[in-house]
Amino acid sequence: MEEVEVPSYFLCPISMEVMRDPVTISTGITYDRENIEKWLFSCKHTTCPVTKQELQITDLTPNHNLRRLIQSWCTLNSCHGIQRIPTPKPQVHKTHVVKILNEAKKCPEMQLKCLRRLRSIAHANESNKKCLESAGAVDFLASMIKKREVALVEDSEFTKASDEALNILFHLNPSDEELKRFTSQDEQFLDSLLHFLKCGNFQSRAYAIMLLKSAFNVADPAQLIGMKPEYFKAIVGILNDKISQQATKAALKILVELCPWGRNRIKATENGAVLALIELLLDTKERRGCELILSILDHLCSCAEGRAELLSHGAGIAIVSKKILRVSHVASDKAVRILCSISKFSATSKVLQEMLQVGVVSKLCLVLQVDTSPKTKEKTKEILSLHSRVWRDSICIPSHLLSSYPS
């Protein structure tokens, strides 16, 4: 394609690309719809990108004249390989959405069809999502999801409808205020998400775990403390099934949020969290994923049940030790804390021999020589001191392994 000079006023000030759907905001500056919607609605900015003025209203007015000029310019330059931009679809109005919602509420047999229309509207652009929210779609979708949990039988049409409702609700990205309202009214909203985690298809389970993460972020401490064991079983199921990277990350963040509260460490351990996390850690190389897993294991190993589960896995100690100095300072700190908990409270002769054989002591000696945080070094010295004390008081460790300890 030949190089063609593009008039500067055809370019979006954000992306510096030719605008496909130019819209003007209250400051008088014109942007491409996709770019300004992302700026205002996805990134939550409240200012004009060019003028930096605070925006009192976020209405986007289509600039039809500029769009026609751009289309004419594309047509004139088609010989240079420039394609004409299509005319954007008309924006959805609130009255149209309200009509669809009322139809879905009055005619249960039409719900699936109405929900598919709502999904098509929601997926079009960010302005449509805002229109759905203002029309009351979020409350309607939440009510549809709750019905799935209380349904006595699994009707195929109803199941499809509730799956659609979950899909749309996830993509609407409910605000913290809305989620707070759903979770504080009763337990039914959270229990409905749990039902999707246990009985839904892979896509619905992924949406449910990500919505559950957002809900737990704004939940009251009392709700987190009293979390039922079924939630931990379902969350561990997401980790075991490895549905998607996003779903796995959401499940890990939920466990980070839940484990410090009450008896949640024991509930998580009893439902297989420790073994699932070790298996996941064996396959995880991404920095943030390793940090989350080690952070959860640190919480779980502060109770006897968690330490016993980690020690029962043949690769538990080895993989935790392997992540020291290989991922990040945060990961090293968490891994050292885990090994410290085991050394202080679960240091049988068998455990000490395993730690020597897999190179834990050698790795910890290296930690003292490199640039790590003072807290990590302090915990490392504590572990080595504990091992050294046991070594002096015991004759059960083979002599050929003793050379690993610092003098």
Side-chain angles (χ1 to χ4, degrees):
M1 189 177 75
E2 255 183 77
E3 285 285 334
V4 180
E5 186 176 349
V6 181
S8 60
Y9 53 93
F10 286 1
L11 302 177
C12 174
I14 296 175
S15 66
M16 296 309 295
E17 295 177 352
V18 175
M19 291 183 276
R20 302 179 65 82
D21 185 5
V23 292
T24 304
I25 62 174
S26 58
T27 57
I29 307 296
T30 298
Y31 301 92
D32 187 59
R33 181 183 292 279
E34 183 180 349
N35 293 129
I36 193 62
E37 284 182 347
K38 184 177 180 181
W39 172 270
L40 294 174
F41 306 133
S42 299
C43 300
K44 308 295 184 185
H45 293 299
T46 58
T47 58
C48 171
V50 171
T51 67
K52 309 303 179 188
Q53 287 177 260
E54 195 74 24
L55 298 174
Q56 301 302 322
I57 55 173
T58 56
D59 292 347
L60 307 178
T61 305
N63 192 329
H64 296 299
N65 290 333
L66 180 57
R67 191 245 310 151
R68 292 189 188 103
L69 277 174
I70 295 173
Q71 287 177 322
S72 299
W73 177 82
C74 290
T75 302
L76 288 170
N77 288 278
S78 60
C79 58
H80 299 297
I82 294 174
Q83 295 183 342
R84 183 179 185 274
I85 62 170
T87 301
K89 293 180 181 179
Q91 290 300 296
V92 174
H93 293 288
K94 183 178 177 180
T95 52
H96 178 61
V97 176
V98 170
K99 184 180 178 181
I100 297 174
L101 291 173
N102 288 335
E103 186 179 354
K105 291 172 185 175
K106 290 177 183 177
C107 307
E109 67 276 7
M110 293 294 293
Q111 282 181 345
L112 182 58
K113 183 179 178 181
C114 291
L115 285 164
R116 284 173 175 164
R117 287 162 67 189
L118 291 174
R119 172 165 55 86
S120 177
I121 292 170
H123 287 197
N125 54 53
E126 292 295 327
S127 291
N128 284 3
K129 291 179 184 179
K130 290 294 176 186
C131 183
L132 285 170
E133 290 172 13
S134 65
V138 171
D139 284 337
F140 170 71
L141 296 168
S143 69
M144 284 292 300
I145 290 170
K146 289 180 183 179
K147 288 178 184 176
R148 170 75 176 264
E149 198 268 331
V150 298
L152 297 177
V153 293
E154 287 289 318
D155 177 76
S156 61
E157 282 295 301
F158 182 73
T159 299
K160 289 177 183 177
S162 59
D163 285 341
E164 285 287 357
L166 181 68
N167 179 327
I168 302 166
L169 185 64
F170 169 75
H171 284 97
L172 288 183
N173 190 20
S175 67
D176 287 350
E177 291 76 17
E178 288 167 328
L179 290 171
K180 184 80 172 175
R181 179 161 53 83
F182 294 150
T183 56
S184 61
Q185 284 175 349
D186 53 49
E187 293 183 358
Q188 198 177 338
F189 179 72
L190 292 178
D191 285 346
S192 65
L193 294 179
L194 174 62
H195 187 78
F196 277 103
L197 291 180
K198 294 193 293 186
C199 307
N201 57 41
F202 270 25
Q203 186 180 58
S204 292
R205 290 173 71 197
Y207 291 149
I209 195 69
M210 288 185 276
L211 277 172
L212 194 64
K213 176 187 75 70
S214 299
F216 281 157
N217 285 342
V218 298
D220 292 327
Q223 289 177 297
L224 301 180
I225 292 170
M227 201 52 57
K228 293 181 285 191
E230 292 92 330
Y231 281 91
F232 293 95
K233 184 176 181 180
I235 293 165
V236 170
I238 295 291
L239 297 179
N240 286 328
D241 291 342
K242 299 177 183 176
I243 294 173
S244 71
Q245 192 172 359
Q246 275 186 309
T248 297
K249 192 72 70 71
L252 291 173
K253 289 180 178 178
I254 289 175
L255 289 176
V256 168
E257 187 75 30
L258 291 179
C259 284
W261 298 95
R263 289 176 52 82
N264 287 347
R265 292 170 300 176
I266 295 172
K267 294 175 193 174
T269 300
E270 288 175 345
N271 284 281
V274 174
L275 299 183
L277 290 166
I278 294 170
E279 289 296 327
L280 193 60
L281 191 60
L282 287 166
D283 295 332
T284 302
K285 295 180 180 178
E286 189 255 333
R287 180 186 62 83
R288 184 58 181 152
C290 288
E291 289 175 352
L292 288 170
I293 295 169
L294 290 167
S295 181
I296 301 164
L297 285 174
D298 178 29
H299 283 302
L300 299 182
C301 285
S302 64
C303 68
E305 294 83 353
R307 293 190 297 274
E309 284 290 291
L310 185 136
L311 293 172
S312 71
H313 193 293
I317 291 177
I319 188 59
V320 169
S321 172
K322 184 178 179 180
K323 296 300 178 181
I324 297 174
L325 303 180
R326 287 195 176 195
V327 180
S328 67
H329 285 307
V330 172
S332 295
D333 179 63
K334 298 298 181 184
V336 168
R337 285 173 58 90
I338 293 166
L339 295 175
C340 188
S341 294
I342 291 169
S343 298
K344 285 174 73 174
F345 305 111
S346 305
T348 64
S349 59
K350 182 181 177 182
V351 170
L352 292 176
Q353 286 187 38
E354 182 182 352
M355 293 178 86
L356 278 167
Q357 288 169 339
V358 299
V360 171
V361 174
S362 301
K363 178 65 75 75
L364 293 175
C365 290
L366 186 58
V367 169
L368 295 178
Q369 301 171 40
V370 299
D371 180 27
T372 54
S373 70
K375 286 187 177 180
T376 302
K377 288 185 184 294
E378 185 180 329
K379 286 284 181 186
T380 301
K381 289 176 183 177
E382 188 177 350
I383 300 170
L384 292 173
S385 176
L386 286 165
H387 280 242
S388 181
R389 194 180 310 136
V390 173
W391 161 57
R392 292 190 183 98
D393 296 342
S394 173
I395 59 170
C396 63
I397 300 177
S399 57
H400 70 280
L401 296 174
L402 297 180
S403 59
S404 298
Y405 284 105
S407 57

